[in-house]
């Protein structure tokens, strides 16, 4: 189902994830940047229209490169939240642009967070993967295997379980959720005839005997159908996304690329935020990938970064002079900054790549790296993402040391 306007993708008791259709013209080298704002709904009759400018919106970002964003720390708005988005330009990035230039909700209803009780009753996200062993009837399509853990609370509800309702959506800005099956008896299913190059995500909820008061129309503004119906789970990871034809990226580093799953539009920032690069191209012919967790508010980080810049520039110079002799190094900034402004100001001093600050991928990488303090510099094998050194901070920032590390890994 394609819709014009902002749609609700997910929500919990303190956050909302929204998505929208692409706005304006863009290219892979110059993607559209978006300005996204939100405000709390003021009353049951608030329809989201702010023609007089009296209802103040708060800016989430003026330089989003993807068409999906998540707002965290949402509390205290019983009437829900309104979002609006527009294409940001070099001239028009002010947060007080005319409301006529913004795109609002497709459903004209404020989006709702869950109550703590609703959140506690949700199932865990399903697990989705490509099933290459099963043929799909439609040419140029693929099959996804989706599974989930049985719904078990240890209470009376377990005896009321009739089955599971499964929904899916293509990972595209203007595509909403649709029902795959209203009541499955098992805990796994194979979905055939999938064609989107952007991939798909899935969500599930238990179907209980005695459900009442729910309606799928409520899913336009909530992840709960209402009544006594248990809300849907959070979405699965995206499965089936393709990097596109003509990419110079090699399939041999798929494990490395998986670390960046859910990266909006598969794009990393480059040149201090002035440019972007496709994920599939970012690590082509790269021997070592260094993940750099750092923050502008951290004095040791600000001292360490210039030393890392020197290493990076030296490595680039050596590799450019003789690619057959020298090893290539790429660095990816994984920000631990507290806000977008801090991230932008700090990243402007760096010559390497960065995960967009507003991407969930950034927090997932921080968790995967087990970051408990910054700075942290993790060294990975560029061919497969294998960890070669969990933290290089405190060790010599010497090109020859890293080159020997790459040579040793490639002999294995």
């Amino acid at each position: 189902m394609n819709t014009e306007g902002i749609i609700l993708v997910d929500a919990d008791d303190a956050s909302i994830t929204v998505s929208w259709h692409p706005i304006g013209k863009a290219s892979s080298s110059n993607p559209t940047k978006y300005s996204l704002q939100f405000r709390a709904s003021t009353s049951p009759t608030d329809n989201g229209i702010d023609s007089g400018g009296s209802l103040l919106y708060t800016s989430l970002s003026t330089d989003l490169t993807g068409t999906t964003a998540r707002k965290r720390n949402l509390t205290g708005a019983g009437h829900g939240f309104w979002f609006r988005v527009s294409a940001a330009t070099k001239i028009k990035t002010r947060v007080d642009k005319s409301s006529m230039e913004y795109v609002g909700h497709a459903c004209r209803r404020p989006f709702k967070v869950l109550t703590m009780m609703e959140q506690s009753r949700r199932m865990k996200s399903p697990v989705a993967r490509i099933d290459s062993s099963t043929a799909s009837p439609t040419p140029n399509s693929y099959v996804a295997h989706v599974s989930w853990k049985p719904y078990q609370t240890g209470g009376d509800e377990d005896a009321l379980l009739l089955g599971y309702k499964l929904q899916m959506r293509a990972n595209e800005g203007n595509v909403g959720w649709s029902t795959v099956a209203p009541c499955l008896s098992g805990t796994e299913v194979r979905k055939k005839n999938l064609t989107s190059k952007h991939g798909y995500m899935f969500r599930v909820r238990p179907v209980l005997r005695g459900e009442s008061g729910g309606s799928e129309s409520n899913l336009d503004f909530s992840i709960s159908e209402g009544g006594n119906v248990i809300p849907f789970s959070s979405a699965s990871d995206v499965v089936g996304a393709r990097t596109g034809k003509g990419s110079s990226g090699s399939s041999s580093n798929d494990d490395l690329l998986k670390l960046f799953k859910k990266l909006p539009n598969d794009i990393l920032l480059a040149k201090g935020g002035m440019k972007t690069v496709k994920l599939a191209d970012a690590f082509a012919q790269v021997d070592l990938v260094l993940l750099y967790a750092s923050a502008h508010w951290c004095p040791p980080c600000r001292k360490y970064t210039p030393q890392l810049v020197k290493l990076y520039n030296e490595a680039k110079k050596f590799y450019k002079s003789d690619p057959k002799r020298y090893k290539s190094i790429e660095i990816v900034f994984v920000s631990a900054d507290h806000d977008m402004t801090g991230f932008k100001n700090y990243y402007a001093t760096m010559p390497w790549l960065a995960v967009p600050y507003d991407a969930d991928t950034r927090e997932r990488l921080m968790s995967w790296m087990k970051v408990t303090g910054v700075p942290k510099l993790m060294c990975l094998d560029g061919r497969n993402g294998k960890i070669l050194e969990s933290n290089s901070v405190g060790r010599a920032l010497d090109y020859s040391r890293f080159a020997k590390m790459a040579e040793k890994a490639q002999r294995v």
Side-chain angles (χ1 to χ4, degrees):
M1 177 183 65
N2 293 356
T3 56
E4 293 297 321
I6 300 175
I7 64 171
L8 177 68
V9 174
D10 197 8
D12 56 29
D13 56 348
S15 71
I16 288 176
T17 301
V18 298
S19 188
W20 56 91
H21 60 283
I23 303 171
K25 296 181 179 180
S27 65
S28 59
S29 61
N30 186 31
T32 298
K33 291 188 176 182
Y34 297 101
S35 172
L36 181 66
Q37 301 180 353
F38 85 104
R39 68 172 175 84
S41 183
T42 59
S43 70
T45 59
D46 185 350
N47 61 6
I49 298 176
D50 183 27
S51 59
S54 60
L55 300 176
L56 296 180
Y57 278 79
T58 299
S59 177
L60 297 180
S61 177
T62 58
D63 57 0
L64 294 169
T65 55
T67 57
T68 299
R70 182 183 181 190
K71 176 65 180 88
R72 299 172 175 82
N73 302 317
L74 291 173
T75 57
H79 300 301
F81 296 88
W82 292 102
F83 292 79
R84 64 183 190 180
V85 66
S86 74
T89 67
K90 291 182 178 180
I91 298 176
K92 294 185 176 182
T93 56
R94 297 174 58 191
V95 300
D96 60 345
K97 290 191 294 183
S98 167
S99 62
M100 296 300 292
E101 299 179 32
Y102 281 88
V103 174
H105 292 193
C107 66
R108 305 313 307 168
R109 295 282 298 274
F111 297 150
K112 300 291 187 70
V113 294
L114 295 177
T115 65
M116 294 180 64
M117 176 61 73
E118 289 173 327
Q119 176 66 18
S120 68
R121 299 178 72 197
R122 299 175 78 186
M123 293 177 60
K124 291 185 177 180
S125 303
V127 176
R129 61 175 178 81
I130 293 297
D131 184 357
S132 56
S133 65
T134 303
S136 188
T138 305
N140 300 317
S141 65
Y142 52 95
V143 179
H145 177 269
V146 188
S147 61
W148 52 92
K149 292 183 177 180
Y151 179 72
Q152 293 178 335
T153 65
D156 296 337
E157 286 184 341
D158 294 352
L160 301 177
L161 181 67
L162 297 176
Y164 302 93
K165 186 171 185 176
L166 182 68
Q167 290 196 324
M168 62 176 280
R169 70 175 291 266
N171 187 35
E172 301 175 37
N174 60 336
V175 179
W177 290 96
S178 61
T179 297
V180 176
C183 190
L184 293 164
S185 59
T187 57
E188 62 178 332
V189 70
R190 285 174 173 80
K191 183 67 180 76
K192 300 179 180 180
N193 302 319
L194 301 178
T195 57
S196 174
K197 66 179 182 180
H198 301 290
Y200 294 84
M201 55 181 66
F202 297 83
R203 66 182 185 183
V204 66
R205 73 164 178 85
V207 178
L208 303 181
R209 185 179 293 106
E211 286 183 356
S212 63
S215 171
E216 281 202 1
S217 62
N218 292 332
L219 296 176
D220 290 340
F221 57 89
S222 173
I223 63 165
S224 172
E225 294 175 59
N228 63 355
V229 178
I230 294 177
F232 276 95
S233 69
S234 293
S236 68
D237 288 337
V238 176
V239 62
R242 298 190 289 269
T243 56
K245 297 180 180 180
S247 170
S248 59
S250 170
S251 60
S252 63
N253 64 355
D254 280 352
D255 288 340
L256 173 64
L257 300 184
K258 287 178 182 178
L259 296 177
F260 297 86
K261 59 185 177 182
K262 289 193 176 182
L263 184 68
N265 297 329
D266 288 331
I267 287 177
L268 290 168
L269 302 179
K271 302 295 184 182
M274 300 300 292
K275 294 186 178 181
T276 60
V277 61
K278 294 292 290 184
L279 178 62
D281 300 328
F283 308 120
Q285 309 304 318
V286 172
D287 296 299
L288 291 178
V289 174
L290 306 182
L291 301 179
Y292 183 41
S294 184
H296 83 287
W297 49 261
C298 166
C301 295
R302 295 198 301 269
K303 183 178 180 180
Y304 191 79
T305 297
Q307 302 173 41
L308 193 57
V309 170
K310 182 179 179 181
L311 169 70
Y312 184 78
N313 291 337
E314 182 181 45
K316 290 291 185 182
K317 181 179 179 180
F318 283 149
Y319 185 73
K320 185 177 181 181
S321 67
D322 191 346
K324 293 184 178 181
R325 178 182 177 187
Y326 293 103
K327 300 299 180 182
S328 59
I329 295 177
E330 188 53 77
I331 299 176
V332 181
F333 176 40
V334 185
S335 174
D337 288 299
H338 296 320
D339 52 53
M340 177 68 79
T341 300
F343 164 77
K344 291 173 64 176
N345 292 338
Y346 192 34
Y347 182 48
T349 68
M350 303 175 185
W352 44 71
L353 306 177
V355 177
Y357 182 79
D358 54 303
D360 285 347
T361 308
R362 179 179 64 85
E363 292 189 357
R364 294 167 69 101
L365 270 175
M366 294 272 286
S367 177
W368 180 81
M369 293 171 65
K370 295 181 172 61
V371 175
T372 57
V374 289
K376 182 170 185 176
L377 186 68
M378 178 177 282
C379 182
L380 308 179
D381 188 329
R383 301 168 306 162
N384 52 32
K386 181 181 178 180
I387 300 175
L388 302 180
E389 193 167 74
S390 61
N391 193 1
S392 300
V393 174
R395 309 196 65 176
L397 279 179
D398 182 72
Y399 173 76
S400 62
R401 189 179 79 84
F402 285 99
K404 289 177 182 178
M405 198 184 305
E407 290 173 359
K408 182 178 179 180
Q410 291 170 5
R411 287 197 298 266
V412 177

